[in-house]
Amino acid sequence: MTNTVTILMGVLNGAKWLQPQLDSISEQDHEDWVLRFSDDGSTDLSSQIVRGFSDRFPTRIHCGHGPRKGFGDNYMRLIRNLPEKAGYTAFADQDDVWSREKLGRAVAALCGFEETPTLYCGQRWLWYPKTDRRIKSSRPNRDFEFRNALIENVAAGNTVMLNPAATRLARQASRMITQPVFAHDWWLYQLITGAGGKVVYDSGPPCILYRQHSANAIGAGHGMSAQIKRKTGVLKGNFAMRIQQNLAVLGQIRSLLTEEARHDLRRFELARKAALQQRLLLLNEVRPYRQTPVGTLGFWGAASLGQI
C-alpha cells in the first residue's frame, strides 16, 4: 500500500499567508506527498505564489480552478477529482502553518485500519500571529458517532487525514451528490461515521497553527462574544439552514450509510417537520448529542423552538 499523502488545498486571495504554509508543507518529515490546489478565483498574487511553489516541486503539484461557489464546493471539487489511487488524503488551509511532524503523525495513527474507512483528526492551536497568542482548541469528550455528526462537527478540516479506504469512499460519495455542502469537513465526519467507518482522534500536542484573522472562512469562534453570536445565529435560523443543507446532501448518499444510520437519518428528518411533542419524541429515539452537556442542552433548546 502506498504511503503517498495527497494534500488538497483550496485557495482564494491567500497571498498574505500562502508562503509560510507552503514552506511548512515542504519541510514535512513525511516526504511522500503531492499537493493539489484549487484556486477559486483569486484576484491577488496567489496564483504567482502557487506557480513559484510548483516550480520548486514540478512533479508533485497539480493546479486547478474552483467552481466559485464557496469554500465547501471548492474542496468538494478537489475530492471529486481525486485520482483513483490517491492513497491518503489530507486537507490544508491556505493560511495555517504546520509542524514538521503533521503528516507523519497522521499516517502513523492510521496504521492498522487499512480495510476500514478511517478519518484522523485532532486539536489545533488557535493562533493570533500579531501577538503570537496560542489557545489550544477544545478536545471532544464523547464518542464519535453519526448521532453526534448529525448536529455537530468535531473533525476540523485542517487536521483531517483520510486513509485510502476513506479516500475511496469520499471520492465515490462526492460524485453522487448534486447539492452544495455547508462544509466539506462536517460532510466527511457525517459520511465516515454514517457509513460505519472509524474516527481516530490524536491526543498529542497540536501540530497546526490555525491562523485567526478577519478573513477566515469560518474561524474558531473563541470567547464569550463568539458564543453569543452563535446563540443569536440559532435564533435567526442559521443552524437550521445548515442542518437542512447537510440533510439534503446525506439524502443523496443514503445508500452508502449503514442501516442504523439510515434509520436515525429518517427519524431526524421527520422530527424537523413535526409539531413540538412529536418532534421531541422522534428526536429522543435518535438521541443526537454534542460533545459537551451544555452543547447538547443547547441543541434541545433549539429543537424546542423549532430551530433545527
Side-chain angles (χ1 to χ4, degrees), residues 147 263-264 267-268 271 276-288 299-300 303:
R147 294 183 297 119
H263 178 273
D264 287 343
R267 290 291 182 274
F268 194 86
L276 176 60
Q277 184 175 359
Q278 184 67 9
R279 183 190 318 141
L280 297 180
L281 286 172
L282 286 167
L283 287 174
N284 192 53
E285 289 185 29
V286 179
R287 292 176 292 117
F299 167 78
W300 283 99

Side-chain angles (χ1 to χ4, degrees), residues 146-147 150 194 247 254 257-271 281-287:
F146 187 65
R147 294 183 297 119
L150 276 171
L247 293 180
R254 198 182 300 264
L257 306 180
T258 65
E259 183 177 349
E260 180 181 1
R262 289 196 298 270
H263 178 273
D264 287 343
L265 177 60
R266 181 58 180 159
R267 290 291 182 274
F268 194 86
E269 290 170 329
L270 291 171
L281 286 172
L282 286 167
L283 287 174
N284 192 53
E285 289 185 29
V286 179
R287 292 176 292 117

Side-chain angles (χ1 to χ4, degrees), residues 2-188:
T2 178
N3 282 327
T4 300
V5 178
T6 299
I7 305 167
L8 305 182
M9 181 186 290
V11 175
L12 177 61
N13 294 329
K16 290 181 182 179
W17 316 290
L18 261 171
Q19 197 59 60
Q21 169 68 308
L22 296 178
D23 289 342
S24 71
I25 291 173
S26 70
E27 295 166 359
Q28 290 295 295
D29 58 13
H30 183 90
E31 298 178 356
D32 189 1
W33 56 264
V34 295
L35 179 54
R36 299 176 70 89
F37 291 99
S38 181
D39 192 311
D40 212 28
S42 295
T43 56
D44 62 2
L45 297 177
S46 293
S47 59
Q48 290 93 319
I49 295 172
V50 168
R51 281 199 298 270
F53 193 69
S54 181
D55 290 341
R56 289 174 58 192
F57 303 97
T59 63
R60 298 191 186 199
I61 308 301
H62 179 276
C63 300
H65 299 286
R68 302 193 182 194
K69 295 181 180 179
F71 79 98
D73 277 359
N74 196 20
Y75 276 97
M76 290 301 290
R77 175 172 285 190
L78 282 164
I79 295 170
R80 196 173 295 120
N81 292 335
L82 277 166
E84 186 175 352
K85 297 181 180 179
Y88 295 89
T89 301
F91 298 82
D93 289 352
Q94 64 183 4
D95 46 5
D96 298 336
V97 177
W98 289 2
S99 298
R100 191 169 183 270
E101 72 275 11
K102 180 188 185 300
L103 293 181
R105 263 174 54 181
V107 170
L110 288 169
C111 287
F113 296 96
E114 285 76 11
E115 303 301 321
T116 303
T118 306
L119 179 152
Y120 161 98
C121 57
Q123 290 175 281
R124 50 197 177 164
W125 291 113
L126 312 183
W127 180 42
Y128 297 84
K130 287 186 178 180
T131 60
D132 199 30
R133 185 186 181 202
R134 305 180 187 192
I135 303 171
K136 188 183 292 188
S137 64
S138 60
R139 178 191 163 109
N141 297 306
R142 301 188 65 181
D143 292 339
F144 305 105
E145 298 179 353
F146 187 65
R147 294 183 297 119
N148 176 223
L150 276 171
I151 63 172
E152 180 182 28
N153 178 38
V154 301
N158 53 2
T159 73
V160 166
M161 182 181 288
L162 306 177
N163 73 345
T167 293
R168 292 191 294 271
L169 176 63
R171 181 175 177 269
Q172 176 189 2
S174 69
R175 296 181 175 201
M176 296 169 63
I177 65 175
T178 58
Q179 302 283 343
V181 302
F182 167 67
H184 64 288
D185 49 4
W186 195 352
W187 176 76
L188 286 168

